[in-house]
mmCIF file of all heavy atoms in Angstrom:
data_model
loop_
_atom_site.group_PDB
_atom_site.id
_atom_site.type_symbol
_atom_site.label_atom_id
_atom_site.label_comp_id
_atom_site.label_asym_id
_atom_site.label_seq_id
_atom_site.Cartn_x
_atom_site.Cartn_y
_atom_site.Cartn_z
ATOM 1 N N LEU W 79 12.566 -11.566 -8.059
ATOM 2 C CA LEU W 79 13.449 -11.653 -6.895
ATOM 3 C C LEU W 79 14.851 -12.082 -7.323
ATOM 4 O O LEU W 79 15.847 -11.615 -6.752
ATOM 5 C CB LEU W 79 12.887 -12.637 -5.872
ATOM 6 C CG LEU W 79 13.492 -12.525 -4.465
ATOM 7 C CD1 LEU W 79 13.036 -11.242 -3.802
ATOM 8 C CD2 LEU W 79 13.100 -13.714 -3.606
ATOM 9 N N GLY W 80 14.931 -12.954 -8.310
ATOM 10 C CA GLY W 80 16.229 -13.357 -8.828
ATOM 11 C C GLY W 80 16.963 -12.192 -9.475
ATOM 12 O O GLY W 80 18.164 -11.993 -9.262
ATOM 13 N N VAL W 81 16.235 -11.396 -10.262
ATOM 14 C CA VAL W 81 16.845 -10.231 -10.916
ATOM 15 C C VAL W 81 17.283 -9.206 -9.865
ATOM 16 O O VAL W 81 18.344 -8.586 -9.993
ATOM 17 C CB VAL W 81 15.861 -9.603 -11.923
ATOM 18 C CG1 VAL W 81 16.468 -8.358 -12.565
ATOM 19 C CG2 VAL W 81 15.483 -10.616 -13.004
ATOM 20 N N MET W 82 16.466 -9.027 -8.825
ATOM 21 C CA MET W 82 16.840 -8.099 -7.755
ATOM 22 C C MET W 82 18.142 -8.538 -7.081
ATOM 23 O O MET W 82 19.012 -7.707 -6.771
ATOM 24 C CB MET W 82 15.722 -8.008 -6.711
ATOM 25 C CG MET W 82 15.982 -6.954 -5.636
ATOM 26 S SD MET W 82 14.805 -7.011 -4.273
ATOM 27 C CE MET W 82 15.407 -8.466 -3.396
ATOM 28 N N GLN W 83 18.303 -9.838 -6.867
ATOM 29 C CA GLN W 83 19.547 -10.332 -6.288
ATOM 30 C C GLN W 83 20.732 -10.077 -7.215
ATOM 31 O O GLN W 83 21.832 -9.772 -6.758
ATOM 32 C CB GLN W 83 19.427 -11.825 -5.990
ATOM 33 C CG GLN W 83 18.464 -12.139 -4.861
ATOM 34 C CD GLN W 83 18.290 -13.634 -4.675
ATOM 35 O OE1 GLN W 83 19.091 -14.276 -4.024
ATOM 36 N NE2 GLN W 83 17.235 -14.184 -5.266
ATOM 37 N N ASP W 84 20.501 -10.193 -8.520
ATOM 38 C CA ASP W 84 21.576 -9.902 -9.473
ATOM 39 C C ASP W 84 21.995 -8.437 -9.397
ATOM 40 O O ASP W 84 23.176 -8.112 -9.553
ATOM 41 C CB ASP W 84 21.113 -10.237 -10.892
ATOM 42 C CG ASP W 84 21.069 -11.731 -11.147
ATOM 43 O OD1 ASP W 84 21.610 -12.486 -10.313
ATOM 44 O OD2 ASP W 84 20.487 -12.148 -12.165
ATOM 45 N N ILE W 85 21.029 -7.563 -9.158
ATOM 46 C CA ILE W 85 21.352 -6.129 -9.027
ATOM 47 C C ILE W 85 22.229 -5.901 -7.798
ATOM 48 O O ILE W 85 23.246 -5.191 -7.867
ATOM 49 C CB ILE W 85 20.066 -5.296 -8.949
ATOM 50 C CG1 ILE W 85 19.284 -5.390 -10.270
ATOM 51 C CG2 ILE W 85 20.388 -3.833 -8.628
ATOM 52 C CD1 ILE W 85 17.919 -4.751 -10.232
ATOM 53 N N PHE W 86 21.854 -6.497 -6.669
ATOM 54 C CA PHE W 86 22.689 -6.384 -5.471
ATOM 55 C C PHE W 86 24.073 -6.999 -5.711
ATOM 56 O O PHE W 86 25.089 -6.445 -5.283
ATOM 57 C CB PHE W 86 22.010 -7.076 -4.283
ATOM 58 C CG PHE W 86 20.923 -6.276 -3.653
ATOM 59 C CD1 PHE W 86 19.607 -6.715 -3.666
ATOM 60 C CD2 PHE W 86 21.202 -5.071 -3.016
ATOM 61 C CE1 PHE W 86 18.596 -5.982 -3.078
ATOM 62 C CE2 PHE W 86 20.194 -4.318 -2.427
ATOM 63 C CZ PHE W 86 18.887 -4.777 -2.455
ATOM 64 N N GLY W 87 24.097 -8.154 -6.366
ATOM 65 C CA GLY W 87 25.371 -8.809 -6.649
ATOM 66 C C GLY W 87 26.254 -7.968 -7.545
ATOM 67 O O GLY W 87 27.487 -7.951 -7.390
ATOM 68 N N TRP W 88 25.655 -7.257 -8.490
ATOM 69 C CA TRP W 88 26.418 -6.385 -9.392
ATOM 70 C C TRP W 88 27.105 -5.273 -8.610
ATOM 71 O O TRP W 88 28.282 -4.968 -8.845
ATOM 72 C CB TRP W 88 25.478 -5.811 -10.448
ATOM 73 C CG TRP W 88 26.167 -4.938 -11.455
ATOM 74 C CD1 TRP W 88 26.872 -5.362 -12.555
ATOM 75 C CD2 TRP W 88 26.218 -3.512 -11.468
ATOM 76 N NE1 TRP W 88 27.358 -4.277 -13.250
ATOM 77 C CE2 TRP W 88 26.972 -3.134 -12.609
ATOM 78 C CE3 TRP W 88 25.700 -2.517 -10.648
ATOM 79 C CZ2 TRP W 88 27.220 -1.799 -12.930
ATOM 80 C CZ3 TRP W 88 25.938 -1.190 -10.957
ATOM 81 C CH2 TRP W 88 26.689 -0.836 -12.090
ATOM 82 N N PHE W 89 26.374 -4.686 -7.658
ATOM 83 C CA PHE W 89 26.994 -3.660 -6.814
ATOM 84 C C PHE W 89 28.089 -4.268 -5.931
ATOM 85 O O PHE W 89 29.115 -3.627 -5.660
ATOM 86 C CB PHE W 89 25.937 -2.984 -5.935
ATOM 87 C CG PHE W 89 25.119 -1.959 -6.667
ATOM 88 C CD1 PHE W 89 23.787 -2.209 -6.974
ATOM 89 C CD2 PHE W 89 25.673 -0.751 -7.058
ATOM 90 C CE1 PHE W 89 23.024 -1.268 -7.658
ATOM 91 C CE2 PHE W 89 24.925 0.198 -7.741
ATOM 92 C CZ PHE W 89 23.599 -0.062 -8.042
ATOM 93 N N GLY W 90 27.854 -5.515 -5.469
ATOM 94 C CA GLY W 90 28.869 -6.172 -4.666
ATOM 95 C C GLY W 90 30.160 -6.390 -5.433
ATOM 96 O O GLY W 90 31.264 -6.226 -4.885
ATOM 97 N N LYS W 91 30.027 -6.751 -6.713
ATOM 98 C CA LYS W 91 31.218 -6.966 -7.528
ATOM 99 C C LYS W 91 31.933 -5.660 -7.853
ATOM 100 O O LYS W 91 33.131 -5.657 -8.139
ATOM 101 C CB LYS W 91 30.843 -7.703 -8.818
ATOM 102 C CG LYS W 91 30.509 -9.172 -8.597
ATOM 103 C CD LYS W 91 30.480 -9.950 -9.887
ATOM 104 C CE LYS W 91 29.348 -9.540 -10.796
ATOM 105 N NZ LYS W 91 29.259 -10.393 -12.002
ATOM 106 N N LYS W 92 31.196 -4.549 -7.815
ATOM 107 C CA LYS W 92 31.833 -3.255 -8.004
ATOM 108 C C LYS W 92 32.773 -2.943 -6.847
ATOM 109 O O LYS W 92 33.810 -2.305 -7.016
ATOM 110 C CB LYS W 92 30.775 -2.155 -8.126
ATOM 111 C CG LYS W 92 30.003 -2.163 -9.425
ATOM 112 C CD LYS W 92 30.886 -1.747 -10.594
ATOM 113 C CE LYS W 92 30.106 -1.685 -11.887
ATOM 114 N NZ LYS W 92 30.971 -1.301 -13.039
ATOM 115 N N GLN W 93 32.371 -3.406 -5.661
ATOM 116 C CA GLN W 93 33.204 -3.167 -4.485
ATOM 117 C C GLN W 93 34.409 -4.105 -4.464
ATOM 118 O O GLN W 93 35.527 -3.698 -4.131
ATOM 119 C CB GLN W 93 32.372 -3.372 -3.209
ATOM 120 C CG GLN W 93 33.143 -3.088 -1.932
ATOM 121 C CD GLN W 93 32.384 -3.539 -0.699
ATOM 122 O OE1 GLN W 93 31.766 -4.607 -0.689
ATOM 123 N NE2 GLN W 93 32.418 -2.723 0.335
ATOM 124 N N LYS W 94 34.173 -5.381 -4.811
ATOM 125 C CA LYS W 94 35.256 -6.351 -4.801
ATOM 126 C C LYS W 94 35.065 -7.314 -5.966
ATOM 127 O O LYS W 94 34.092 -8.065 -6.017
ATOM 128 C CB LYS W 94 35.268 -7.130 -3.479
ATOM 129 C CG LYS W 94 36.374 -8.167 -3.404
ATOM 130 C CD LYS W 94 36.303 -8.942 -2.104
ATOM 131 C CE LYS W 94 37.374 -10.015 -2.053
ATOM 132 N NZ LYS W 94 37.293 -10.811 -0.795
ATOM 133 N N LYS W 95 35.998 -7.314 -6.890
ATOM 134 C CA LYS W 95 35.902 -8.165 -8.062
ATOM 135 C C LYS W 95 36.301 -9.604 -7.727
ATOM 136 O O LYS W 95 37.027 -9.852 -6.772
ATOM 137 C CB LYS W 95 36.792 -7.620 -9.172
ATOM 138 C CG LYS W 95 36.354 -6.250 -9.686
ATOM 139 C CD LYS W 95 37.258 -5.784 -10.813
ATOM 140 C CE LYS W 95 36.795 -4.424 -11.341
ATOM 141 N NZ LYS W 95 37.659 -3.938 -12.451
ATOM 142 N N ASN W 96 35.813 -10.512 -8.549
ATOM 143 C CA ASN W 96 36.164 -11.937 -8.424
ATOM 144 C C ASN W 96 35.937 -12.451 -7.000
ATOM 145 O O ASN W 96 36.794 -13.104 -6.413
ATOM 146 C CB ASN W 96 37.624 -12.148 -8.834
ATOM 147 C CG ASN W 96 37.940 -11.572 -10.201
ATOM 148 O OD1 ASN W 96 37.116 -11.632 -11.109
ATOM 149 N ND2 ASN W 96 39.123 -11.007 -10.336
ATOM 150 N N ARG W 97 34.757 -12.176 -6.457
ATOM 151 C CA ARG W 97 34.533 -12.432 -5.044
ATOM 152 C C ARG W 97 33.907 -13.796 -4.751
ATOM 153 O O ARG W 97 33.837 -14.212 -3.600
ATOM 154 C CB ARG W 97 33.644 -11.333 -4.456
ATOM 155 C CG ARG W 97 32.232 -11.280 -4.988
ATOM 156 C CD ARG W 97 31.488 -10.087 -4.399
ATOM 157 N NE ARG W 97 31.583 -10.055 -2.954
ATOM 158 C CZ ARG W 97 31.610 -8.935 -2.228
ATOM 159 N NH1 ARG W 97 31.567 -7.762 -2.827
ATOM 160 N NH2 ARG W 97 31.664 -8.985 -0.928
ATOM 161 N N TYR W 98 33.430 -14.505 -5.746
ATOM 162 C CA TYR W 98 32.714 -15.749 -5.495
ATOM 163 C C TYR W 98 33.664 -16.954 -5.504
ATOM 164 O O TYR W 98 34.821 -16.857 -5.916
ATOM 165 C CB TYR W 98 31.611 -15.967 -6.524
ATOM 166 C CG TYR W 98 30.645 -14.816 -6.633
ATOM 167 C CD1 TYR W 98 30.243 -14.329 -7.887
ATOM 168 C CD2 TYR W 98 30.128 -14.195 -5.503
ATOM 169 C CE1 TYR W 98 29.359 -13.271 -7.992
ATOM 170 C CE2 TYR W 98 29.234 -13.141 -5.604
ATOM 171 C CZ TYR W 98 28.872 -12.676 -6.851
ATOM 172 O OH TYR W 98 28.000 -11.636 -6.953
ATOM 173 N N SER W 99 33.159 -18.090 -5.067
ATOM 174 C CA SER W 99 33.928 -19.332 -5.090
ATOM 175 C C SER W 99 32.964 -20.513 -5.177
ATOM 176 O O SER W 99 31.788 -20.398 -4.810
ATOM 177 C CB SER W 99 34.808 -19.459 -3.839
ATOM 178 O OG SER W 99 34.009 -19.508 -2.665
ATOM 179 N N TYR W 100 33.491 -21.633 -5.648
ATOM 180 C CA TYR W 100 32.655 -22.832 -5.798
ATOM 181 C C TYR W 100 32.317 -23.433 -4.429
ATOM 182 O O TYR W 100 33.146 -23.451 -3.508
ATOM 183 C CB TYR W 100 33.383 -23.882 -6.631
ATOM 184 C CG TYR W 100 32.672 -25.211 -6.681
ATOM 185 C CD1 TYR W 100 31.554 -25.395 -7.485
ATOM 186 C CD2 TYR W 100 33.124 -26.283 -5.904
ATOM 187 C CE1 TYR W 100 30.900 -26.614 -7.535
ATOM 188 C CE2 TYR W 100 32.468 -27.505 -5.947
ATOM 189 C CZ TYR W 100 31.355 -27.666 -6.756
ATOM 190 O OH TYR W 100 30.696 -28.860 -6.784
ATOM 191 N N SER W 101 31.106 -23.905 -4.301
ATOM 192 C CA SER W 101 30.706 -24.651 -3.106
ATOM 193 C C SER W 101 29.813 -25.801 -3.553
ATOM 194 O O SER W 101 29.049 -25.664 -4.515
ATOM 195 C CB SER W 101 29.964 -23.761 -2.109
ATOM 196 O OG SER W 101 28.754 -23.288 -2.658
ATOM 197 N N SER W 102 29.899 -26.904 -2.877
ATOM 198 C CA SER W 102 29.100 -28.066 -3.246
ATOM 199 C C SER W 102 27.629 -27.823 -2.943
ATOM 200 O O SER W 102 27.281 -27.013 -2.077
ATOM 201 C CB SER W 102 29.588 -29.310 -2.494
ATOM 202 O OG SER W 102 29.512 -29.087 -1.092
ATOM 203 N N GLU W 103 26.776 -28.516 -3.654
ATOM 204 C CA GLU W 103 25.332 -28.353 -3.497
ATOM 205 C C GLU W 103 24.873 -28.826 -2.111
ATOM 206 O O GLU W 103 25.233 -29.909 -1.658
ATOM 207 C CB GLU W 103 24.598 -29.163 -4.567
ATOM 208 C CG GLU W 103 23.084 -29.022 -4.512
ATOM 209 C CD GLU W 103 22.390 -29.934 -5.498
ATOM 210 O OE1 GLU W 103 23.078 -30.771 -6.115
ATOM 211 O OE2 GLU W 103 21.163 -29.814 -5.649
ATOM 212 N N LYS W 104 24.080 -27.999 -1.451
ATOM 213 C CA LYS W 104 23.538 -28.354 -0.129
ATOM 214 C C LYS W 104 22.177 -29.027 -0.330
ATOM 215 O O LYS W 104 21.127 -28.443 -0.072
ATOM 216 C CB LYS W 104 23.392 -27.105 0.742
ATOM 217 C CG LYS W 104 24.669 -26.286 0.883
ATOM 218 C CD LYS W 104 25.751 -27.062 1.605
ATOM 219 C CE LYS W 104 26.953 -26.168 1.918
ATOM 220 N NZ LYS W 104 27.639 -25.689 0.695
ATOM 221 N N ARG W 105 22.213 -30.256 -0.812
ATOM 222 C CA ARG W 105 20.953 -30.938 -1.141
ATOM 223 C C ARG W 105 20.073 -31.135 0.072
ATOM 224 O O ARG W 105 18.852 -30.977 -0.007
ATOM 225 C CB ARG W 105 21.251 -32.289 -1.791
ATOM 226 C CG ARG W 105 21.764 -32.201 -3.207
ATOM 227 C CD ARG W 105 21.707 -33.541 -3.900
ATOM 228 N NE ARG W 105 22.154 -33.450 -5.278
ATOM 229 C CZ ARG W 105 22.073 -34.452 -6.148
ATOM 230 N NH1 ARG W 105 21.569 -35.610 -5.768
ATOM 231 N NH2 ARG W 105 22.498 -34.287 -7.380
ATOM 232 N N TRP W 106 20.672 -31.484 1.187
ATOM 233 C CA TRP W 106 19.869 -31.736 2.390
ATOM 234 C C TRP W 106 19.068 -30.503 2.776
ATOM 235 O O TRP W 106 17.906 -30.607 3.190
ATOM 236 C CB TRP W 106 20.781 -32.170 3.543
ATOM 237 C CG TRP W 106 21.725 -31.092 4.003
ATOM 238 C CD1 TRP W 106 22.984 -30.843 3.552
ATOM 239 C CD2 TRP W 106 21.455 -30.096 5.005
ATOM 240 N NE1 TRP W 106 23.540 -29.762 4.191
ATOM 241 C CE2 TRP W 106 22.619 -29.295 5.088
ATOM 242 C CE3 TRP W 106 20.369 -29.816 5.818
ATOM 243 C CZ2 TRP W 106 22.718 -28.217 5.970
ATOM 244 C CZ3 TRP W 106 20.471 -28.742 6.701
ATOM 245 C CH2 TRP W 106 21.626 -27.961 6.767
ATOM 246 N N LEU W 107 19.673 -29.334 2.611
ATOM 247 C CA LEU W 107 18.978 -28.089 2.962
ATOM 248 C C LEU W 107 17.911 -27.760 1.929
ATOM 249 O O LEU W 107 16.772 -27.421 2.279
ATOM 250 C CB LEU W 107 19.986 -26.948 3.072
ATOM 251 C CG LEU W 107 19.410 -25.559 3.402
ATOM 252 C CD1 LEU W 107 18.648 -25.605 4.723
ATOM 253 C CD2 LEU W 107 20.523 -24.525 3.448
ATOM 254 N N ARG W 108 18.254 -27.878 0.657
ATOM 255 C CA ARG W 108 17.307 -27.542 -0.415
ATOM 256 C C ARG W 108 16.071 -28.435 -0.348
ATOM 257 O O ARG W 108 14.936 -27.961 -0.417
ATOM 258 C CB ARG W 108 17.977 -27.690 -1.780
ATOM 259 C CG ARG W 108 19.164 -26.796 -2.009
ATOM 260 C CD ARG W 108 19.784 -27.028 -3.362
ATOM 261 N NE ARG W 108 18.974 -26.445 -4.425
ATOM 262 C CZ ARG W 108 19.240 -26.578 -5.712
ATOM 263 N NH1 ARG W 108 20.273 -27.302 -6.100
ATOM 264 N NH2 ARG W 108 18.481 -26.016 -6.617
ATOM 265 N N TYR W 109 16.294 -29.740 -0.213
ATOM 266 C CA TYR W 109 15.179 -30.666 -0.226
ATOM 267 C C TYR W 109 14.355 -30.578 1.057
ATOM 268 O O TYR W 109 13.136 -30.790 1.039
ATOM 269 C CB TYR W 109 15.677 -32.089 -0.440
ATOM 270 C CG TYR W 109 16.339 -32.316 -1.785
ATOM 271 C CD1 TYR W 109 17.072 -33.468 -2.056
ATOM 272 C CD2 TYR W 109 16.234 -31.361 -2.804
ATOM 273 C CE1 TYR W 109 17.675 -33.673 -3.291
ATOM 274 C CE2 TYR W 109 16.833 -31.556 -4.032
ATOM 275 C CZ TYR W 109 17.553 -32.702 -4.274
ATOM 276 O OH TYR W 109 18.146 -32.894 -5.493
ATOM 277 N N SER W 110 15.006 -30.260 2.169
ATOM 278 C CA SER W 110 14.264 -30.098 3.423
ATOM 279 C C SER W 110 13.337 -28.891 3.351
ATOM 280 O O SER W 110 12.160 -28.964 3.743
ATOM 281 C CB SER W 110 15.240 -29.941 4.597
ATOM 282 O OG SER W 110 16.037 -31.087 4.762
ATOM 283 N N VAL W 111 13.856 -27.781 2.836
ATOM 284 C CA VAL W 111 13.027 -26.576 2.690
ATOM 285 C C VAL W 111 11.882 -26.832 1.723
ATOM 286 O O VAL W 111 10.732 -26.434 1.971
ATOM 287 C CB VAL W 111 13.883 -25.387 2.209
ATOM 288 C CG1 VAL W 111 12.993 -24.186 1.884
ATOM 289 C CG2 VAL W 111 14.898 -24.996 3.272
ATOM 290 N N LEU W 112 12.170 -27.522 0.623
ATOM 291 C CA LEU W 112 11.124 -27.825 -0.361
ATOM 292 C C LEU W 112 10.046 -28.714 0.247
ATOM 293 O O LEU W 112 8.847 -28.494 0.029
ATOM 294 C CB LEU W 112 11.735 -28.498 -1.585
ATOM 295 C CG LEU W 112 10.747 -28.886 -2.696
ATOM 296 C CD1 LEU W 112 10.013 -27.667 -3.229
ATOM 297 C CD2 LEU W 112 11.468 -29.618 -3.825
ATOM 298 N N ALA W 113 10.451 -29.723 1.013
ATOM 299 C CA ALA W 113 9.482 -30.627 1.639
ATOM 300 C C ALA W 113 8.590 -29.869 2.618
ATOM 301 O O ALA W 113 7.364 -30.064 2.643
ATOM 302 C CB ALA W 113 10.210 -31.762 2.358
ATOM 303 N N ILE W 114 9.193 -28.989 3.419
ATOM 304 C CA ILE W 114 8.407 -28.183 4.370
ATOM 305 C C ILE W 114 7.458 -27.265 3.618
ATOM 306 O O ILE W 114 6.285 -27.116 3.991
ATOM 307 C CB ILE W 114 9.351 -27.373 5.273
ATOM 308 C CG1 ILE W 114 10.147 -28.305 6.185
ATOM 309 C CG2 ILE W 114 8.568 -26.359 6.106
ATOM 310 C CD1 ILE W 114 11.245 -27.607 6.962
ATOM 311 N N PHE W 115 7.942 -26.672 2.533
ATOM 312 C CA PHE W 115 7.112 -25.761 1.739
ATOM 313 C C PHE W 115 5.905 -26.495 1.152
ATOM 314 O O PHE W 115 4.774 -26.007 1.230
ATOM 315 C CB PHE W 115 7.951 -25.153 0.621
ATOM 316 C CG PHE W 115 7.181 -24.239 -0.287
ATOM 317 C CD1 PHE W 115 6.954 -22.920 0.062
ATOM 318 C CD2 PHE W 115 6.679 -24.700 -1.495
ATOM 319 C CE1 PHE W 115 6.227 -22.077 -0.773
ATOM 320 C CE2 PHE W 115 5.962 -23.869 -2.335
ATOM 321 C CZ PHE W 115 5.738 -22.552 -1.970
ATOM 322 N N ILE W 116 6.144 -27.679 0.563
ATOM 323 C CA ILE W 116 5.049 -28.439 -0.042
ATOM 324 C C ILE W 116 4.030 -28.851 1.019
ATOM 325 O O ILE W 116 2.813 -28.758 0.810
ATOM 326 C CB ILE W 116 5.598 -29.669 -0.774
ATOM 327 C CG1 ILE W 116 6.414 -29.234 -1.992
ATOM 328 C CG2 ILE W 116 4.473 -30.603 -1.196
ATOM 329 C CD1 ILE W 116 7.094 -30.369 -2.712
#
Side-chain angles (χ1 to χ4, degrees):
L79 196 70
V81 178
M82 186 189 75
Q83 291 175 83
D84 286 348
I85 295 173
F86 281 116
W88 182 81
F89 281 109
K91 287 194 293 185
K92 288 290 183 181
Q93 182 190 41
K94 180 182 178 182
K95 295 182 179 180
N96 307 323
R97 66 184 308 148
Y98 306 135
S99 62
Y100 172 77
S101 64
S102 58
E103 182 185 8
K104 306 296 188 295
R105 287 194 178 187
W106 66 270
L107 179 58
R108 299 179 75 185
Y109 296 168
S110 297
V111 173
L112 179 60
I114 293 171
F115 178 82
I116 292 175

